[in-house]
Amino acid sequence: MGVYESLLELIGDRERVSQNETVLEHHSKGIAYHTPRQPDVVVFPKTAEEVSRVLAFANEHRIPVTPFGAGTSLEGHVIPVEGGISLDMTQMNHIVDIRPDDFLAIVEPGVTRLQLNQALKPYGLFFPVDPGADATIGGMAATNASGTNSVKYGVMRDHVLGLDVVLADGSVIQTGSLAVKSSAGYHLTGLFVGSEGTLGIFTRLIVRLHGIPEATTAIKACFPTLEAAAQAAFAVLKAGVEPGKIELVDEATIAAVNAYKQTDYPVKPTLFIELSGSRASVDDGTELVKELCESEGAVSFVVETDSLARAKLWEARHHAAFAIQAAYPGKAMLSTDVCVPLSELPGAIADTRRLVNEQNMTAAIFGHVGDGNYHTVLAFDPNDAEEMARIEQVHAHIVRYALSRGGTCTGEHGIGIGKRTFLREEKGDAVGWMKRLKQLFDPNGILNPGKIFLP
């Protein structure tokens, strides 16, 4: 009996075991530039028991298994580089329980963040981790995702209290608990979060929730120089304002957005700030932020409280990457993801802008200035070997600059395929111990092979 027939027998539903060419193609890639590779078959489990059966079968027959969620990863995590089974978790999309008095929810991995937040609204709660895309909670946990809200609320690892995990041999373990904290044994939850599907498959997650703030204000402040904008951001953070978001976009990126959207935003380094909390605290915080920005030479300061106006104000930040895509239709995109100590961020962004200008490249550069994480979005033709080499050189320079300043090659996207080269440079001998953990949990190497580590 072949693999397809065996899986069909395990699942018992022809609609959820597919070799349809369109389905295989959809599961061959993420949303970035990495070379696609089709799986041999796609399985859509609905229960943890089905996941367990599939993994036990795959482990026995040494068949690679690559988990798949919304398909929005940027480092090729979902690409089945060795073929085998693509395990699509999107039909495990039930919100199992919402416990408002405990500020937590229990969800299956295919639940998306927008789906969860819609269900939480009647309780006055929300799940704050926002990577931009409407990603699945399971996928976000697998990559330890974060985003614009991390300066106030933290990253995915801060929000996962416990997991149900199916291991490579089909056995199931539970990590964590419903308690907010625990000192019981090794922190296995923290180990699995960020493991990119290489140690086990999540089938249930316990996630932390937060109250929806009474008031929210959006601020856009423009500055004469990048350094002035960065210094204003540091002043805001030091003042104890605790912004919900604080983002920095350089002037060249604003100009690209203007060309894309036919807008006339001031072509200046710009801070986008969001304050949330009680009405009184937001009002007081806005006044303080204004004073701090003006003391650093802000040339404009715009405040919006209406939800539609806030969305419009943030438009230049949210459309930065789209502007580069629109300028180069049909080209692939690479988004860098380095993170540096806060004091190094202005220098890092300035160095990156100098580099891409020297290479005559158009790039969007924007950063989560509150945590030192910034992105450079570059467009290129992956079929042009010379252009590809230049892109790789620029990427390597940006990463090595960050590492030389005590930073990391990835703040939130993960290693996947795209950053395996840099992991050894950053972590040194610790990589060997990571490989030992991988061997312990997955001795036959079936779980998402080809990710995190070079062969």
Side-chain angles (χ1 to χ4, degrees), residues 128-161:
V129 183
D130 177 5
D134 187 21
T136 62
I137 302 299
M140 290 164 63
T143 56
N144 190 31
S146 53
T148 55
N149 289 332
S150 63
V151 64
K152 181 172 184 176
Y153 293 103
V155 302
M156 199 66 191
R157 191 170 275 124
D158 301 313
H159 287 84
V160 180
L161 293 176

Side-chain angles (χ1 to χ4, degrees), residues 160-165 173-177 187-190 192 206:
V160 180
L161 293 176
L163 297 164
D164 286 9
V165 186
I173 64 170
Q174 288 81 37
T175 74
S177 69
H187 198 292
L188 292 179
T189 304
F192 280 105
I206 306 169

